[in-house]
């Protein structure tokens, strides 16, 4: 630890501490409250990129294929997420239709697009344009992604629907389940600190506020 090392504030108790260089796999904890301050960065961007690209493919599959099929007295029906939102809109529940579309499709898609743009720019040695704005947008959009809440709702609805007919889980249901895990893996491997370190290490260092 040196006096010239940058200061970092603990996000739990606000104690100012000096940064130290970390060997791979190590974690720095706050000296006062023990909260995790940061961990050693990944050596490459390949891991977050791999999670992100897989999540993008699975998000597409989850929205193209039906979530669930229902068979009642010989007649069957199946719907996609868009189909469900569309039905809600036309049954007099536009606010709920908008919320479903926003929290289960638009927000995860925007998050993946922003992280993908930043990671790919850095991988090819370019400073992402509007970096500060993008990171702020990511922070504001993140709490609106509620795929896990949607999954819980779908599972409860499926159990209830079994009283009325035969419920057939379809491709998108499994895709949404896998996507919930992939989005968590992408978010945890997208290290904001590491990303900023990489941006600052690039030759062109003008600040876009
Ligand atoms: Zn602390």
């Amino acid at each position: 630890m040196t006096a010239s090392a940058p200061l970092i504030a603990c996000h739990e108790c606000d104690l100012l501490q000096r940064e130290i260089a970390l060997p791979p796999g190590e974690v720095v904890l706050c000296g006062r409250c023990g909260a995790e301050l940061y961990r050693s960065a990944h050596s490459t961007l390949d891991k977050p990129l791999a999670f992100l690209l897989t999540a993008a493919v699975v998000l597409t599959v989850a929205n193209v294929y039906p979530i669930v099929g229902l068979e009642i007295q010989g007649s069957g029906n199946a719907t996609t997420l868009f189909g469900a939102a569309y039905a809600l809109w036309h049954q007099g529940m536009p606010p709920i239709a908008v919320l479903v579309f926003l929290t289960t499709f638009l927000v995860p898609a925007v998050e993946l697009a922003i992280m993908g743009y930043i990671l790919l720019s850095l991988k090819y040695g370019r400073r992402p344009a509007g970096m500060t704005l993008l990171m702020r947008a990511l922070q504001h959009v993140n709490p609106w992604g509620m795929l896990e809440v949607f999954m819980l709702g779908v599972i409860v609805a499926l159990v209830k629907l079994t009283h009325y007919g035969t419920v057939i889980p379809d491709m998108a249901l499994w895709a949404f389940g896998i996507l919930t895990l992939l989005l968590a893996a992408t978010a945890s491997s997208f290290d904001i600190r590491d990303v900023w370190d990489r941006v600052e290490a690039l030759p062109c260092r003008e600040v876009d506020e």
Side-chain angles (χ1 to χ4, degrees), residues 10 12-15 30 32-35:
C10 170
E12 294 291 333
C13 72
D14 273 349
L15 179 68
C30 171
R32 181 158 66 191
C33 72

Side-chain angles (χ1 to χ4, degrees), residues 59 102 105-117 134 137-138 141-142:
L59 178 69
L102 204 78
F105 174 73
L106 197 63
V107 166
V110 166
E111 275 189 288
L112 289 178
I114 293 178
M115 287 192 282
Y117 169 66
L134 288 176
L138 203 55
V141 157
N142 180 272

Side-chain angles (χ1 to χ4, degrees), residues 41 55 88 94 154 169:
L88 282 169
V154 168

Side-chain angles (χ1 to χ4, degrees), residues 11-12 44 59 68 73 91-92 99 108 118 120 126 128 131 134 148 157 165 181 200 208:
H11 53 86
E12 294 291 333
T44 69
L59 178 69
V68 66
Q73 291 171 347
Q91 282 169 17
L99 262 182
I118 292 174
L120 283 172
R126 286 182 31 237
M131 178 70 186
L134 288 176
E148 42 312 318
L181 300 176
E200 278 164 20
D208 55 296

